[in-house]
Amino acid sequence: MRETVKDLLKSTVISIGMAMTIFCLSGVVFDIQNKGLFSLDQYRFTKMIAGCVLVGLGFGIPSIVYRKDNLPMPIRVIIHMGIGCVVYTVVAYAVGWMGGAASLGKGILIAAIQLVPAFIIWFLFMKHYRAEAKRMNDRIQAMK
């Protein structure tokens, strides 16, 4: 139980850190794009920071599903990424990362563009953990 809580806390902190990093880098891009006139008023910055924390929680907490060995991997991915992406989409509309005035097609395109990093990050973590498992299995085989 203690190990599960430790893993959950670690993945949540990493997810929040990644959300904050992506938010900061996006802010720099928008600031440069708007030639220094990018501004957030009426507590929009604070709302966006809170949104980053929620997105981090939305992707970090469901990652516990990977500890369930009795579920097939595709189901675990659907649960994890499904919850994370739903939380992200709701937060994105709530804090203004995605505008409500866009057409349906444009909204889907915006959502797809903004969700691509989530799947890229997931893919990179999957590759890392598979390589780590392979190294561990190779060491075990070498010890025999």
Side-chain angles (χ1 to χ4, degrees):
M1 178 68 173
R2 177 176 267 184
E3 190 69 26
T4 301
V5 172
K6 184 179 174 182
D7 286 346
L8 182 61
L9 185 60
K10 179 182 174 185
S11 65
T12 302
V13 168
I14 289 171
S15 294
I16 291 171
M18 293 177 90
M20 293 291 189
T21 301
I22 292 169
F23 173 71
C24 289
L25 292 175
S26 299
V28 168
V29 169
F30 282 115
D31 195 38
I32 291 169
Q33 186 178 27
N34 291 307
K35 298 181 183 2
L37 298 176
F38 180 63
S39 67
L40 300 172
D41 55 354
Q42 298 179 357
Y43 299 106
R44 284 183 56 207
F45 182 77
T46 303
K47 291 175 188 174
M48 289 184 183
I49 293 296
C52 283
V53 172
L54 291 175
V55 168
L57 292 171
F59 280 103
I61 293 172
S63 69
I64 195 145
V65 74
Y66 294 108
R67 294 184 64 87
K68 299 289 184 190
D69 294 329
N70 58 343
L71 287 174
M73 182 57 80
I75 299 299
R76 290 187 250 177
V77 172
I78 289 170
I79 292 169
H80 175 229
M81 295 303 287
I83 292 170
C85 291
V86 166
V87 168
Y88 171 80
T89 303
V90 169
V91 168
Y93 275 107
V95 301
W97 294 332
M98 287 195 261
S103 67
L104 179 61
K106 191 173 181 180
I108 291 171
L109 179 64
I110 291 168
I113 289 169
Q114 294 185 355
L115 293 174
V116 165
F119 284 96
I120 291 171
I121 292 166
W122 172 85
F123 180 75
L124 293 173
F125 271 101
M126 180 199 66
K127 296 280 286 179
H128 168 75
Y129 286 120
R130 277 195 181 165
E132 185 177 59
K134 184 178 181 337
R135 282 192 305 273
M136 291 168 72
N137 286 334
D138 290 346
R139 282 187 182 167
I140 290 170
Q141 292 301 320
M143 294 170 79
K144 289 184 179 182

